Amino acid sequence: MHLFDLPQPSVPVVDSSSLFPVRRIYCIGRNYGKHVEEMGYDLNRSRPFYFSKPADAIVLSKGTVNYPPQTEELHYEMELVVAIGKAGRDIAVGKSYDHVFGYAAGIDMTRRDLQHGAKKTGQPWEMAKGFDQSAPISSIHPVSEIGHPSDARIWLSVNGEIRQDANINELIWNVPQSIAELSSFVQLRPGDLIYTGTPSGVGKVDKGDKLTGGIDGIGTIEVTIK
Ligand code: MN
């Protein structure tokens, strides 16, 4: 008997009444060359690395994100999200797609000032990345309907003005490679989401801003900063 009930964070599935229950949210850093450069890093030095957000940080499309405390530099990062449907560890690149349930468009909201501070002092990124409402996400489009898109426009606009505009074919570590690599560190399980990293053009948002983003053929996400 639990002391109290906890809600199960979950994401709608396109053309279905089913919900995808969220277990863990993994995020990949520095996965598009131009974004690596805009953040001031050397491309050659890049290897995938990971951080996490809590499952209940998700915000569904048409929702609101309350401007978080302890920051004056809240940034958006538009990302392709992989929804895992089958458990595995040490997954081979060639078998990675077998573990994908579907794909979504997500935004990795970031307290950039805290992240810069953490980088300087060598402290964890947790409060820069894993805060409340930091993981907006569109409905999940199942592989059974769209296959495994590897060439699609990814974009984000703030109040109707395009700020990020790229293609998921520019991912440094593509989806199969990311799954294989991540599963060498942890066992992936159904319900896991992987935010695969953002293209260039990241920037600040203010209260009242409306963020709209999407990945062609996968989904769109729309949130308002409150
Ligand atoms: Mn990111």
Side-chain angles (χ1 to χ4, degrees):
M1 180 74 174
H2 294 122
L3 284 171
F4 41 81
D5 289 328
L6 290 179
Q8 169 63 59
S10 52
V11 182
V13 175
V14 175
D15 291 337
S16 165
S17 56
S18 301
L19 295 173
F20 180 92
V22 181
R23 188 186 82 117
R24 293 183 183 174
I25 302 175
Y26 294 104
C27 304
I28 304 176
R30 293 173 213 159
N31 208 8
Y32 287 82
K34 285 180 196 157
H35 174 64
V36 174
E37 284 167 17
E38 79 178 345
M39 297 299 285
Y41 291 97
D42 174 4
L43 201 51
N44 299 326
R45 217 161 48 92
S46 292
R47 286 215 56 206
F49 68 91
Y50 306 92
F51 55 90
S52 297
K53 291 174 186 270
D56 68 356
I58 60 164
V59 175
L60 302 182
S61 192
K62 312 273 186 197
T64 56
V65 171
N66 292 303
Y67 197 99
Q70 302 279 3
T71 183
E72 289 175 1
E73 201 180 5
L74 179 65
H75 272 211
Y76 54 81
E77 295 189 355
M78 185 67 207
E79 310 199 356
L80 169 67
V81 181
V82 182
I84 298 293
K86 182 184 157 195
R89 55 168 304 190
D90 291 323
I91 299 166
V93 171
K95 296 272 185 200
S96 288
Y97 278 150
D98 299 348
H99 297 264
V100 179
F101 169 78
Y103 296 92
I107 309 176
D108 166 13
M109 299 303 298
T110 301
R111 284 161 162 158
R112 192 72 72 201
D113 45 0
L114 295 199
Q115 185 191 29
H116 284 147
K119 283 177 182 174
K120 269 188 205 136
T121 53
Q123 289 174 339
W125 288 12
E126 207 71 22
M127 290 299 114
K129 290 290 197 177
F131 53 93
D132 300 340
Q133 301 183 310
S134 60
I137 187 168
S138 73
S139 296
I140 295 171
H141 220 143
V143 166
S144 56
E145 290 194 10
I146 58 167
H148 297 278
S150 58
D151 186 332
R153 183 179 177 229
I154 177 170
W155 56 276
L156 178 137
S157 70
V158 180
N159 303 324
E161 192 178 302
I162 288 284
R163 299 287 181 81
Q164 292 187 283
D165 196 353
N167 192 298
I168 58 169
N169 67 15
E170 296 165 43
L171 279 166
I172 296 170
W173 299 85
N174 65 22
V175 168
Q177 291 166 334
S178 297
I179 290 172
E181 176 84 10
L182 178 56
S183 75
S184 75
F185 289 97
V186 289
Q187 181 176 46
L188 293 176
R189 297 195 60 87
D192 290 347
L193 298 174
I194 305 170
Y195 282 60
T196 56
T198 196
S200 64
V202 300
K204 220 176 141 177
V205 293
D206 290 311
K207 287 175 192 167
D209 283 347
K210 188 174 163 188
L211 307 187
T212 310
I215 305 167
D216 291 355
I218 293 177
T220 57
I221 168 80
E222 191 183 301
V223 291
T224 303
I225 311 299
K226 208 175 134 188

